[in-house]
Amino acid sequence: MDGRARSIIGPGQALQRDRLMLCGVIVTYGARKSLLYATLQAALGSGIDRAVVVDNGSRWPVRRDLAEDFAERVDVVRLGKNAGSAPGFKAGIARALELGAERLLILDDDLALTPQTVERLQRSLDHSAARSGFARCAVCAYRKSAMERMILVEGQGLARAVAPPILRFSIMRLLRGLVAHTRPSLTSEMFKAQGPTAPSETSRVAFAPYGGVFIHRSAVEWIGLPDERFSLYWDDVEWTYRLTARGGSIVIDRGAPLGELEISHPFRKPHISRFHSLLLRDAGPGDYRIYYEIRNAIYFSAYPARRDISYLGVRVAAFRLGIFALGIALRRNARSRVIREAVNDGLNGRLGYNEKYPLE
């Protein structure tokens, strides 16, 4: 190992075991070298034996630089272009299994681990496995920005928990968005948000985002690899939902915090409805985000989640009507057409990378 490698990973952090026990899986893209390096240094300094990094169309020499700076502790899988998170994590998880990983920690390239978090996740997974076996459980580190997606199962059941937000349509929500757009000063008085309830330290969730999932290889062998046809968005939901849909469990552990170096998807303003956000955000350049998000959410609800056809038909019809009306009112007809195309493709099971909506 050369001096440059030692300056990055430290002389006492070289891989000691012949058999790989704990492997991190990270997907990176674009020009995110500084974020990836911070994530890798934190992971390898927190008890991760080795990391698999998937180069998903990065604009810098990932394999060369990581070989120089991290040596044998990082294994690189290179994909030809950025085709989305789904093929990236599929390739990374498959490679980790090939390397002999027994436990996998899935990470985004902008997350910071601590030794305490890794130790806590190890204990939490052992605790869950004592009840159900390693193949039927996973645990997830706590990420504040991801909590709105990690819907709790307790109190509402699995079927309701996995309903996509875009299908939770109501006249009140539409009214709230209309008032917010025309008279934002009235919103805080008309629609007062309820204060949060005190959370328990651990909670069962219906699904989880990739970043922070800690899972045994036997569970991956049971549920399979991520479905690359999703390309971007909802692929993590569909993959982790397989575990709970088959009777397994996913537990989020708030005692295992995961630091975030960057907030990838800023929260929308609280007085703006999700429907307004879909029409107004990132007009033009952001069409690919809207397309894949809606297409995959609709597909997930119609197929993997197997929603009742009457429920799905009514909700999709209401969503289409609301988007059509708001598109006219907000003069966002082009974005409205993108959304309607996404709905149609999702309902008809047309997945995969869509050349009309290339990724950045």
Side-chain angles (χ1 to χ4, degrees):
M1 189 182 300
D2 61 21
R4 189 178 178 192
R6 285 194 296 272
S7 69
I8 294 292
I9 66 174
Q13 295 178 345
L15 187 61
Q16 298 295 322
R17 297 177 223 184
D18 293 330
R19 177 165 178 77
L20 177 63
M21 297 292 291
L22 174 54
C23 183
V25 177
I26 307 169
V27 175
T28 192
Y29 64 97
R32 298 169 65 83
K33 181 176 179 178
S34 61
L35 288 170
L36 175 64
Y37 267 51
T39 297
L40 280 172
Q41 290 175 41
L44 297 175
S46 299
I48 301 297
D49 295 313
R50 195 167 182 179
V52 172
V53 172
V54 178
D55 175 4
N56 209 5
S58 297
R59 297 193 293 272
W60 56 283
V62 176
R63 186 186 299 277
R64 186 199 69 189
D65 288 3
L66 295 186
E68 291 177 352
D69 292 335
F70 295 96
E72 76 278 4
R73 296 201 69 190
V74 175
D75 188 89
V76 176
V77 178
R78 186 176 184 277
L79 302 183
K81 67 175 184 179
N82 183 8
S85 56
F89 280 107
K90 177 182 179 181
I93 293 168
R95 179 57 179 161
L97 295 181
E98 290 176 2
L99 292 172
E102 293 184 7
R103 300 184 181 204
L104 290 75
L105 180 54
I106 316 300
L107 295 169
D108 297 329
D109 64 358
D110 55 3
L111 298 176
L113 277 174
T114 66
Q116 294 75 24
T117 292
V118 174
E119 292 173 6
R120 177 65 179 240
L121 289 174
Q122 296 266 32
R123 291 197 301 270
S124 293
L125 187 62
D126 288 341
H127 180 73
S128 294
R131 294 192 302 256
S132 61
F134 283 111
R136 294 180 175 270
C137 65
V139 296
C140 190
Y142 176 74
R143 292 170 55 197
K144 183 177 181 180
S145 68
M147 280 306 297
E148 70 174 12
R149 294 185 64 204
M150 300 170 70
I151 309 300
L152 303 186
V153 173
E154 285 91 344
Q156 60 179 333
L158 185 61
R160 181 173 175 80
V162 297
I166 61 172
L167 296 184
R168 298 173 197 157
F169 184 93
S170 70
I171 298 299
M172 183 59 69
R173 184 174 298 177
L174 177 59
L175 177 60
R176 174 179 177 172
L178 287 170
V179 172
H181 186 72
T182 57
R183 299 289 298 277
S185 61
L186 297 179
T187 306
S188 59
E189 293 300 321
M190 293 180 63
F191 305 101
K192 292 183 178 179
Q194 295 181 348
T197 57
S200 58
E201 193 167 63
T202 61
S203 301
R204 287 181 59 219
V205 291
F207 50 77
Y210 287 125
V213 169
F214 191 52
I215 190 169
H216 194 269
R217 67 176 296 126
S218 61
V220 178
E221 290 166 350
W222 188 42
I223 65 174
L225 298 171
D227 187 346
E228 64 182 6
R229 298 176 305 155
F230 277 76
S231 293
L232 181 69
Y233 300 134
W234 285 82
D235 46 310
D236 49 359
V237 172
E238 189 274 334
W239 183 60
T240 54
Y241 175 66
R242 294 179 209 168
L243 188 60
T244 56
R246 296 181 185 185
S249 66
I250 301 174
V251 172
I252 178 173
D253 189 340
R254 291 176 177 81
L258 194 55
E260 297 180 273
L261 306 175
E262 175 186 74
I263 303 299
S264 301
H265 303 289
F267 295 115
R268 67 178 185 272
K269 295 179 181 179
H271 62 272
I272 296 294
S273 77
R274 181 167 183 81
F275 305 101
H276 281 71
S277 177
L278 291 173
L279 286 164
L280 294 173
R281 88 179 192 215
D282 300 330
D287 283 350
Y288 78 93
R289 296 185 183 276
I290 300 298
Y291 172 80
Y292 288 112
E293 179 180 353
I294 294 177
R295 184 199 69 178
N296 294 344
I298 295 293
Y299 173 85
F300 174 80
S301 190
Y303 296 94
R306 296 186 178 90
R307 299 302 307 218
D308 179 79
I309 191 62
S310 60
Y311 169 93
L312 185 62
V314 170
R315 295 290 174 171
V316 168
F319 176 70
R320 279 173 161 161
L321 179 60
I323 288 295
F324 178 75
L326 282 174
I328 294 175
L330 301 177
R331 298 180 181 179
R332 292 294 188 273
N333 294 326
R335 173 56 64 79
S336 180
R337 285 192 294 270
V338 172
I339 294 173
R340 294 199 298 273
E341 179 182 355
V343 171
N344 290 335
D345 285 352
L347 287 175
N348 289 287
R350 291 192 289 264
L351 298 184
Y353 186 83
N354 191 327
E355 296 292 345
K356 288 177 60 178
Y357 302 103
L359 307 185
E360 292 180 346

